[in-house]
Amino acid sequence: MKAVVEGDLELKVPDGAAVRKFDAEHTHGLSHCMKAVDFIIEWKDRIFFVEFKDPEAPESRPKDRRKFLHQFLAGQIDADLKTKYRDTFLYEWGFLRAEKPIHYLVLIAVEGIGPAELLNRTDALKRQLPLMGPFGQEWPRPFVAGCVVLNLAAWNRQLPQFPVRRLTSSHS
């Protein structure tokens, strides 16, 4: 397995999968006009766009954690998540690398977010991307095959082939 790091979180990717850290300025060269997901993983028959949000990182202040949690639960970061996906899709599409179905995986590394809140945010993000085309019809050529918003425990349960762990042993 290969490991890549974003802040205090480590993502392991199985052998046979290609992973790129995408949000670094030197990686895509368009940070002045495009947002980017953290990682792009190409695996077998699909591509994963991966975004990590970690308000519980050791350097985060309690006030900032509370603010993030409030904004997340109120849907105030949905637009940012949507833009990161769309801009990354356009970039990959422009380079002819969007030929497999693309799944958007969002990790919100906060222990206090439960299944109901995650499902709520997943449904809201699906509407914003949008997963379905006009009038609820399927797109003839979908630009997002699926998306899910997960906390750390749900991520590791649902995606055991891509385990994520916190690098520091404790955080406040």
Side-chain angles (χ1 to χ4, degrees), residues 30-161:
L30 291 175
S31 61
H32 66 282
C33 64
M34 297 180 93
K35 292 191 173 235
V37 298
D38 293 317
F39 302 105
I40 298 174
I41 301 170
E42 188 168 350
W43 196 49
K44 298 178 184 175
D45 60 348
R46 66 192 67 193
I47 297 170
F48 297 104
F49 288 177
V50 178
E51 178 63 23
F52 285 177
K53 295 291 184 192
D54 188 15
E56 291 188 351
E59 69 276 1
S60 297
R61 298 185 322 227
K63 180 177 124 181
D64 294 335
R65 292 177 193 163
R66 287 189 301 276
K67 181 180 177 184
F68 175 86
L69 187 57
H70 171 75
Q71 290 175 331
F72 172 73
L73 294 173
Q76 295 172 352
I77 69 163
D78 291 355
D80 184 56
L81 293 173
K82 168 194 71 177
T83 302
K84 285 176 178 254
Y85 180 89
R86 286 187 187 173
D87 285 0
T88 302
F89 174 83
L90 286 172
Y91 189 96
E92 293 297 289
W93 176 82
F95 274 108
L96 304 174
R97 293 189 296 237
E99 299 303 315
K100 296 178 183 179
I102 301 171
H103 297 260
Y104 191 21
L105 308 176
V106 178
L107 172 64
I108 308 294
V110 174
E111 291 180 18
I113 297 175
E117 292 93 356
L118 294 169
L119 182 59
N120 247 359
R121 299 294 14 112
T122 295
D123 289 344
L125 188 55
K126 285 178 179 180
R127 286 189 300 275
Q128 288 225 2
L129 287 175
L131 229 58
M132 298 301 290
F135 310 109
Q137 304 286 322
E138 289 190 18
W139 292 104
R141 183 174 180 203
F143 61 93
V144 59
C147 82
V148 65
V149 179
L150 303 164
N151 63 20
L152 197 53
W155 177 287
N156 286 320
R157 255 190 332 274
Q158 293 182 34
L159 299 161
Q161 69 276 33

Side-chain angles (χ1 to χ4, degrees), residues 8-9 54-60 65 109 111 152 165-172:
D8 192 44
L9 299 172
D54 188 15
E56 291 188 351
E59 69 276 1
S60 297
R65 292 177 193 163
E111 291 180 18
L152 197 53
R165 72 177 181 101
R166 188 168 292 287
L167 294 173
T168 56
S169 59
S170 67
H171 60 281
S172 48

Side-chain angles (χ1 to χ4, degrees), residues 10-25:
E10 177 187 70
L11 166 68
K12 289 193 176 177
V13 179
D15 294 333
V19 62
R20 291 183 281 146
K21 182 159 176 51
F22 191 64
D23 70 345
E25 187 171 332

